[in-house]
Amino acid sequence: MAVDIQPDCLGLYCGRIATSVNGSEVYGECGVCPRGQRTDAHKICRPCMGSPERYDWLYLGFMAMLPLILHWFFIEWYSGKKSSSALFQHITALIECSVAAIVTLLVSDPLGSLHIRSCKVVMLSDWYTMLYNPSPDYITTIHCTHEAVYPLYTIVFIYYAFCLVLMMLLRPLLVKKIACGLGKSDRFKSIYAALYFFPILTVLQAVGGGLLYYAFPYIIIVLSLLTLVVYLSASEVETFKDLLVRKKRLIVLFSHWLLHAYGIISISKMNNLYQDLPLLALVPAPALFYLLTAKYTEPSRIVSEGGNGR
């Protein structure tokens, strides 16, 4: 049934709060919707009662992976080749992020459940409601800024906060106990790095959350391809035999394959399994192409062949 509201409620995200009085709905003044609500087609603030779609969960998974991948990178970077503490730090980082993710879901609405209720993302502007506050007389601004994509925007900040707290509680004790092979100045560098990248990730989500929501599948594929090629090149891997020399290389390769698969699943959304599932066969293609063509692009070979041609 259509709802007739007079006067009109201006603004793309301004709405009226509905309250029940004697069995009938009464609408308040036009303004900002409470947290956990967004406007419907009739400019009435309605509670977000839906569940996140598959793509929403994939986005949240991407944002949850970012600190874990950065933790692993800096742990490996500062641990040293002969350090036996790297594995324990990797496991600790995984535990920290996993526990943070679970706790974040538990404290989200509905409280104490791993399920969350959400509003559907309709368009990019849903992430930036602060840019759409109306000014009817060009003097007075009606502030209607609220989380129209509840809770996809704020839940990431909560997750990062729990990650940071758990890291500060667990990691220093672990590093102090097992990182004996490192100098005193190097033991905590991976923790110091996290104190830098967590604020960067927070600003990235605050400013570019909406852009990341639509672009993250392509970001995953492009960055995972680039980092895989750089790693194989830096490790001087040119044949399949070179991959088998060290287990670490296989672990890195399989990790990148998982990222490739995650990106492909995010792009296709797997709405049609018969059509989209075969796309996963493309996951090993970049690595196979590199290994089959690396010997033809070796700089020393190109220089020698160029000299012989003269």
Side-chain angles (χ1 to χ4, degrees):
M1 181 178 68
V3 180
D4 186 20
I5 300 176
Q6 296 292 338
D8 291 337
C9 191
L10 302 177
L12 189 59
Y13 296 100
C14 295
R16 301 177 184 275
I17 300 176
T19 55
S20 180
V21 178
N22 298 326
S24 61
E25 282 191 338
V26 178
Y27 308 108
E29 295 183 358
C30 182
V32 61
C33 292
R35 187 170 189 268
Q37 298 185 18
R38 71 168 297 170
T39 56
D40 60 10
H42 305 293
K43 294 292 185 177
I44 305 298
C45 297
R46 300 296 184 186
C48 302
M49 301 305 296
S51 298
E53 298 178 353
R54 183 183 295 114
Y55 187 85
D56 298 335
W57 283 114
L58 290 169
Y59 165 75
L60 293 177
F62 167 72
M63 299 305 294
M65 283 192 298
L66 285 180
L68 179 60
I69 292 173
L70 290 173
H71 275 314
W72 284 348
F73 172 79
F74 286 109
I75 288 171
E76 197 66 32
W77 183 268
Y78 291 117
S79 293
K81 296 181 179 180
K82 298 182 179 180
S83 175
S84 60
S85 67
L87 177 61
F88 294 99
Q89 292 187 66
H90 286 318
I91 296 174
T92 304
L94 177 61
I95 294 174
E96 292 167 4
C97 294
S98 300
V99 172
I102 294 173
V103 174
T104 301
L105 293 176
L106 291 176
V107 299
S108 299
D109 192 19
L111 192 65
S113 172
L114 294 178
H115 300 281
I116 58 176
R117 62 181 183 89
S118 67
C119 289
K120 184 179 180 180
V121 180
V122 179
M123 49 188 172
L124 179 61
S125 61
D126 291 347
W127 294 82
Y128 304 102
T129 57
M130 76 288 294
L131 303 178
Y132 295 88
N133 294 323
S135 298
D137 55 0
Y138 300 98
I139 298 176
T140 305
T141 300
I142 302 176
H143 295 281
C144 299
T145 301
H146 66 284
E147 189 178 8
V149 294
Y150 175 87
L152 301 182
Y153 188 75
T154 54
I155 197 172
V156 176
F157 299 124
I158 298 172
Y159 167 71
Y160 287 164
F162 281 123
C163 283
L164 186 59
V165 170
L166 290 172
M167 182 196 70
M168 296 304 297
L169 290 176
L170 301 178
R171 195 84 62 81
L173 298 176
L174 176 72
V175 172
K176 188 175 181 180
K177 290 289 185 181
I178 67 176
C180 300
L182 298 174
K184 291 184 178 180
S185 61
D186 296 332
R187 291 185 181 183
F188 300 100
K189 281 189 175 180
S190 62
I191 300 177
Y192 297 152
L195 297 179
Y196 281 98
F197 70 66
F198 268 119
I200 293 174
L201 291 177
T202 301
V203 173
L204 187 65
Q205 167 68 4
V207 177
L211 299 175
L212 288 174
Y213 177 81
Y214 289 101
F216 82 89
Y218 309 98
I219 294 174
I220 290 176
I221 291 180
V222 172
L223 290 184
S224 61
L225 288 175
L226 289 176
T227 54
L228 178 60
V229 171
V230 170
Y231 176 79
L232 294 177
S233 178
S235 302
E236 298 181 352
V237 176
E238 296 183 356
T239 63
F240 294 97
K241 184 178 179 180
D242 295 335
L243 276 175
L244 302 176
V245 173
R246 298 179 60 185
K247 293 181 180 179
K248 179 181 175 181
R249 294 177 179 176
L250 290 176
I251 294 175
V252 172
L253 177 63
F254 291 143
S255 300
H256 279 81
W257 282 359
L258 288 176
L259 290 175
H260 297 345
Y262 195 92
I264 292 174
I265 292 172
S266 300
I267 292 175
S268 64
K269 300 180 184 178
M270 290 294 165
N271 293 326
N272 188 341
L273 288 180
Y274 294 102
Q275 179 180 341
D276 299 332
L277 201 59
L279 293 175
L280 295 179
L282 297 173
V283 167
L288 295 176
F289 178 80
Y290 177 88
L291 293 173
L292 293 174
T293 59
K295 59 182 179 180
Y296 300 111
T297 58
E298 186 179 356
S300 59
R301 177 172 178 172
I302 296 174
V303 172
S304 61
E305 289 181 355
N308 295 332
R310 294 179 182 176

